Amino acid sequence: MLILKSVSLFDGDQLLEGTFDILIEKSKIKAIVPEGNKIDIKGARSIELKGTLACPGFIDIHAHLREPGEEWREDIESGSLAGARGGFTTIVAMPNTSPPLDRPELIRHIARKGREVRGAKVLPSGAISKNREGKELAELFGMAKEGAVLFTEDGSPTSNTELLRNALLYTKDLNLKIMEHPEDPYLSNGGQINEGKISALSGLKGIPRSSELIGVERCIALAEELRSPIHITHVSTKESISAIRSAKERGIPITCDTTPHHLSLEESEIIKSDFNPVYKVKPPLRTLEDIEALWEAISDGIIDAIATDHAPYHPDEKDLPFEEAPFGIASLECAVAVVLNEWHNRKQKISIERILRLFTSGPSRILPERYRELGKLKEGGIANITVLDLEKIKKVNASSWVSKCRLTPWDGITLKGWPILTIVEGEVFQIDI
Ligand SMILES: [Zn+2]
């Protein structure tokens, strides 16, 4: 038995008045009582948490854990531990592995491993097409049965629009979402950074903003025609936001997420860092105007989730001139702090509840119905809890990370607002009080 003492509480939707003691027995939340109605159970371990905030365990719907096939970059176990250290209790692993997760037996394998890991629980997603080639639909039904929680070709967009359309017809009945990476690969081909002032100054080939917008508009057109829900991941431009906003106003069943890096880093960082590839991501870092549009969209409830797009590489793979380095950075262990720090920097103009929903109830609604409970903190529920100290100031020290990848733009940066404790199915995972 475990008692979390004198903690404030966010239940997945709102902050509750007062402070509480939370009693955890095995993997369940046995009781939540207002402080004062003391629960004292002999032999129970208790943790004093005055001044901190308990939330439903955070969910990351987009992380590349590289298993099977590229375990030198990351694997299910290292990703799960890194997730727990970063405040996540549930992580969705992307299927662009080697081989890709495109068959029921592969999904079964990852789902089993993901349940057994010690840190954050890992849920598999499946590829939309066989071998991610965009030619033939993968066995979506079989993969859903084995535990795939969404389908995506991420790493790249679905290359064949007809196949994407067929997948949407199919997933409508499965009650499972397609997650689409919005990009027109012909437009972005060879591109390195956002097309604009910085690409002109540096001579690096730009990725036009229309590349993302065309991907977003394709999703909207298909979702509107078929009335089949689609999730658009790592949205990064003001044009994408404006298209998504108007589609949502028209009642089209789309959802979207953005990333901690797109919410906090401008393209100018690339020049300031003298072209350090830790700033090379896809979609590329954008302008201040885009960052403002993303925060406005958070404020308006247009963005449904924040996802890390944690994309680990071995140092040798990324230790190349900017133009040759692969796209992607590691962030699981500081992603929550990056967002909370940016929220502080923005003078807390948006309610903390809005931010917390993007890590809890928001992503739980993108997953299949049976995961809805993951977004709630309540009596009788699974003891997945993330405890935050919104005032905690700490420097990112990537060399201490448990992730196999420490290539991150935030190494050495001081951030305000950190997860201090992660409880996964009743297991206290990380204490840093
Ligand atoms: Zn992607």
Side-chain angles (χ1 to χ4, degrees):
M1 292 241 235
L2 173 68
I3 305 172
L4 308 182
K5 283 201 173 282
S6 315
V7 71
S8 302
L9 210 148
F10 170 75
D11 67 3
D13 182 42
Q14 54 186 339
L15 281 172
L16 306 187
E17 284 281 331
T19 55
F20 300 83
D21 287 355
I22 303 175
L23 176 66
I24 295 165
E25 191 178 14
K26 298 206 173 99
S27 62
K28 291 274 172 70
I29 296 171
K30 183 106 191 281
I32 300 174
V33 297
E35 199 190 4
N37 304 16
K38 290 280 178 210
I39 22 176
D40 267 317
I41 292 162
K42 270 216 174 93
R45 173 184 179 197
S46 74
I47 305 174
E48 181 56 55
L49 290 168
K50 210 172 189 53
T52 68
L53 175 61
C55 312
F58 283 9
I59 303 166
D60 181 11
I61 53 168
H62 186 153
H64 298 270
L65 301 189
R66 309 302 193 193
E67 184 175 341
E70 293 162 345
E71 288 87 349
W72 65 86
R73 295 174 174 169
E74 195 79 282
D75 59 40
I76 300 292
E77 199 182 331
S78 64
S80 149
L81 295 174
R85 292 242 309 212
F88 294 99
T89 60
T90 308
I91 296 175
V92 178
M94 291 295 104
N96 64 332
T97 49
S98 181
L101 303 177
D102 64 351
R103 277 175 292 141
E105 53 274 27
L106 286 167
I107 295 293
R108 188 190 315 144
H109 174 73
I110 299 297
R112 190 192 320 118
K113 257 194 134 159
R115 270 193 305 274
E116 287 167 358
V117 279
R118 281 193 301 132
K121 299 299 167 195
V122 175
L123 305 173
S125 59
I128 297 172
S129 71
K130 287 188 179 162
N131 212 25
R132 291 181 68 241
E133 283 171 347
K135 290 184 185 141
E136 233 184 301
L137 215 53
E139 292 173 59
L140 304 186
F141 180 70
M143 289 195 282
K145 254 178 55 188
E146 294 295 347
V149 295
L150 44 88
F151 297 114
T152 182
E153 300 278 87
D154 186 72
S156 39
T158 306
S159 55
N160 176 334
T161 308
E162 192 198 19
L163 183 115
L164 177 60
R165 191 177 185 277
N166 287 339
L168 282 165
L169 280 169
Y170 211 76
T171 48
K172 194 177 178 180
D173 295 330
L174 285 176
N175 283 320
L176 234 151
K177 282 199 179 69
I178 298 278
M179 175 197 271
E180 183 61 9
H181 160 129
E183 177 186 351
D184 183 317
Y186 291 98
L187 286 177
S188 56
N189 188 23
Q192 301 288 322
I193 56 174
N194 183 43
E195 185 177 274
K197 212 162 69 190
I198 304 288
S199 66
L201 277 174
S202 67
L204 285 175
K205 189 165 183 225
I207 297 174
R209 312 167 64 81
S210 52
S211 170
E212 179 172 309
L213 181 60
I214 287 166
V216 168
E217 294 283 19
R218 180 173 79 151
C219 292
I220 293 171
L222 293 173
E224 177 163 30
E225 183 175 66
L226 306 174
R227 306 310 297 177
S228 178
I230 188 163
H231 178 77
I232 308 168
T233 195
H234 50 52
V235 167
S236 71
T237 68
K238 63 176 195 294
E239 292 86 356
S240 296
I241 289 298
S242 130
I244 290 166
R245 176 176 277 124
S246 83
K248 283 193 163 190
E249 280 164 7
R250 282 181 286 140
I252 298 168
I254 52 167
T255 47
C256 72
D257 69 66
T258 189
T259 73
H261 46 277
H262 289 109
L263 285 168
S264 63
L265 299 173
E266 273 184 74
E267 59 173 359
S268 58
E269 298 288 341
I270 297 165
I271 287 196
K272 277 193 237 157
S273 75
D274 203 16
F275 302 94
N276 185 337
V278 295
Y279 293 97
K280 184 169 176 177
V281 283
K282 205 176 231 187
L285 298 179
R286 306 287 190 182
T287 66
L288 188 57
E289 239 183 307
D290 295 301
I291 297 178
E292 294 303 328
L294 291 175
W295 280 95
E296 202 183 304
I298 287 179
S299 167
D300 300 345
I302 299 297
I303 291 178
D304 300 276
I306 293 175
T308 64
D309 196 6
H310 176 75
Y313 288 95
H314 188 271
D316 293 348
E317 294 175 291
K318 195 84 169 164
D319 186 20
L320 291 167
F322 195 91
E323 268 182 279
E324 290 159 40
F327 293 92
I329 55 167
S331 63
L332 267 176
E333 281 164 79
C334 67
V336 170
V338 166
V339 173
L340 293 176
N341 183 69
E342 189 64 25
W343 171 73
H344 274 298
N345 286 347
R346 292 174 172 268
K347 310 261 179 282
Q348 310 174 0
K349 280 193 196 117
I350 298 173
S351 77
I352 189 67
E353 287 145 307
R354 254 219 207 280
I355 307 293
L356 299 177
R357 280 182 213 128
L358 298 174
F359 286 110
T360 56
S361 46
S364 84
R365 278 194 287 269
I366 292 156
L367 299 176
E369 186 78 41
R370 64 183 184 281
Y371 292 103
R372 217 51 37 101
E373 295 295 304
L374 288 182
K376 296 174 188 163
L377 176 48
K378 57 171 194 173
E379 276 184 2
I382 301 169
N384 280 348
I385 301 175
T386 298
V387 181
L388 301 176
D389 181 346
L390 296 176
E391 300 303 316
K392 187 183 177 77
I393 294 171
K394 197 173 82 177
K395 203 185 257 188
V396 178
N397 176 10
S399 69
S400 73
W401 281 8
V402 294
S403 168
K404 289 185 184 175
C405 179
R406 286 131 193 207
L407 298 163
T408 186
W410 296 285
D411 193 20
I413 304 285
T414 299
L415 301 172
K416 182 176 180 183
W418 283 86
I420 54 162
L421 187 68
T422 310
I423 298 175
V424 188
E425 296 181 1
E427 198 107 346
V428 179
F429 192 78
Q430 165 216 10
I431 297 190
D432 179 13
I433 302 172

